[in-house]
Amino acid sequence: MPIIATLFFVAITGFIMFDDTIDHTIDFYNGIVKGWSISHINNNIIGILLNNSIVLLTAILISHIAVHFRLIKEKTLLPLLFFLLFQLLTPTKVNQYEPANLISFIAILTVAILYSCYQEKHATEKGFVIATILSITSFIDAHILYLLPIIVVGIIQMQATSLRTFAAMIVGLIVPYWIIWGLGIVELSEIDFSALSISLNLPTIDLQILPFTVVIMIGLVTGIGNLYSAFNEKIYTRATNGFVSILSTYITLLLIIDNVHFIQYLPILNGCVALQASYFFSSHTKRTSTITLIALIVVLATWIGWIYWGNYPSL
């Protein structure tokens, strides 16, 4: 099934590249450093291939995290399957070069580093690396810094708490800015923290918001179900899966209160919910759960077909 999903994803990529009727507009992403952006990539065939290669790499990374850090009991490609399906529900994530996909890859990479900190009382190097990655990324997308509070929660969840680790994270945040300023690459006047602003607008209620609303609902239902399953798991599995649920909830809140920039948070949410749904269905192997899984995949695939080949009003 994941192989079919991957081929389906590749087929839609090909369709998008050669369909002149698709709008390849792009949102502008504001970084803390003025004028630095990853939005200025032409949405031609190369841009679309670059974008969807990043999406596939992210799907593979999510699947690797699920298996390597034992978020799921058995080896499965369900995380890859769900992530690709969720991404395809929002055409702006795959029909153009979308910076949010690169940002989500970086964010999920930091989660992988975080998981490797489990029960390390002196995870100073990894804390420094995580903070440095987020700090450098904030040059081009300020909102990634909102992951910092939840990363701190994750360090506590991974039982890797120490003053040295938190001190290393503070240094990791400061050093990249100190370097580009000290080398004269940017002036202090070019560093603009107003890019961190949050904007809330009342959304228009229509079919366009339905896809990511469904993703949120899938995350909510499977997340609640996973809480019951987690009681029978080892402490390590409870910690890793628990953090996924915390991160999913946090990103959902960000998406709601900063809905002007919701498109930036959506791929990260898709990754979290993909892990939640995969754990849920791999933990519930009864016939009814299997039927539910197949039905969900069929519904999502049909919906995606309607979005790309029908007249569904999409984002």
Side-chain angles (χ1 to χ4, degrees):
M1 189 72 74
I3 295 175
I4 294 174
T6 303
L7 293 174
F8 187 39
F9 181 81
V10 171
I12 289 180
T13 298
F15 166 73
I16 289 166
M17 288 192 301
F18 299 105
D19 188 350
D20 295 332
T21 64
I22 293 179
D23 179 20
H24 298 300
T25 57
I26 191 166
D27 295 321
F28 184 79
Y29 285 65
N30 291 319
I32 289 179
V33 180
K34 292 180 180 179
W36 288 27
S37 174
I38 51 174
S39 297
H40 306 306
I41 292 181
N42 293 328
N43 277 310
N44 50 25
I45 291 176
I46 294 176
I48 296 169
L49 282 175
L50 173 64
N51 177 76
N52 288 0
S53 295
I54 293 170
V55 173
L56 282 173
L57 281 174
T58 306
I60 293 169
L61 177 60
I62 290 170
S63 185
H64 172 75
I65 289 173
V67 174
H68 182 75
F69 295 106
R70 301 193 298 278
L71 272 72
I72 299 175
K73 294 179 180 178
E74 56 189 28
K75 289 186 178 181
T76 176
L77 291 175
L78 276 179
L80 182 147
L81 170 64
F82 276 118
F83 181 71
L84 291 181
L85 289 175
F86 294 155
Q87 286 288 97
L88 287 168
L89 282 175
T90 311
T92 51
K93 294 295 169 221
V94 296
N95 70 6
Q96 61 184 17
Y97 169 72
E98 172 53 65
N101 290 324
L102 177 59
I103 300 302
S104 70
F105 176 82
I106 294 170
I108 292 169
L109 181 62
T110 62
V111 172
I113 298 171
L114 174 67
Y115 280 158
S116 69
C117 296
Y118 184 72
Q119 288 189 338
E120 288 188 15
K121 292 300 181 183
H122 302 289
T124 51
E125 291 183 3
K126 292 175 182 177
F128 176 81
V129 169
I130 290 172
T132 302
I133 290 173
L134 294 180
S135 181
I136 292 173
T137 307
S138 72
F139 293 172
I140 53 178
D141 180 26
H143 290 80
I144 198 168
L145 289 182
Y146 287 126
L147 288 180
L148 274 172
I150 207 67
I151 290 294
V152 172
V153 172
I155 288 175
I156 297 171
Q157 184 89 351
M158 295 302 113
Q159 302 175 32
T161 310
S162 73
L163 289 176
R164 290 177 61 185
T165 300
F166 293 133
M169 291 184 69
I170 293 172
V171 173
L173 282 174
I174 296 172
V175 164
Y177 283 92
W178 180 79
I179 290 175
I180 62 173
W181 172 69
L183 292 178
I185 297 173
V186 299
E187 300 294 333
L188 286 177
S189 59
E190 296 178 272
I191 298 176
D192 180 18
F193 288 101
S194 66
L196 287 164
S197 62
I198 288 178
S199 301
L200 173 63
N201 286 342
L202 293 177
T204 302
I205 306 300
D206 56 24
L207 287 175
Q208 290 188 352
I209 69 169
L210 190 56
F212 61 87
T213 303
V214 168
V215 172
I216 291 173
M217 292 307 299
I218 291 173
L220 178 63
V221 172
T222 56
I224 293 173
N226 292 343
L227 288 176
Y228 291 100
S229 300
F231 286 113
N232 299 319
E233 298 287 359
K234 296 179 180 179
I235 296 175
Y236 175 77
T237 305
R238 289 205 301 269
T240 52
N241 277 291
F243 178 71
V244 171
S245 296
I246 293 170
L247 179 59
S248 178
T249 303
Y250 180 74
I251 295 298
T252 300
L253 290 174
L254 279 177
L255 190 149
I256 293 171
I257 65 175
D258 189 23
N259 60 14
V260 170
H261 302 104
F262 82 93
I263 209 75
Q264 300 182 34
Y265 304 116
L266 193 54
I268 304 174
L269 178 65
N270 287 343
C272 292
V273 176
L275 287 171
Q276 287 180 292
S278 300
Y279 175 72
F280 178 85
F281 285 109
S282 63
S283 301
H284 297 78
T285 56
K286 293 182 180 179
R287 185 177 179 183
T288 52
S289 298
T290 303
I291 293 172
T292 303
L293 172 61
I294 294 172
L296 178 60
I297 292 171
V298 170
V299 169
L300 291 175
T302 303
W303 195 353
I304 290 165
W306 182 19
I307 289 172
Y308 289 91
W309 290 288
N311 57 357
Y312 188 90
S314 58
L315 290 170

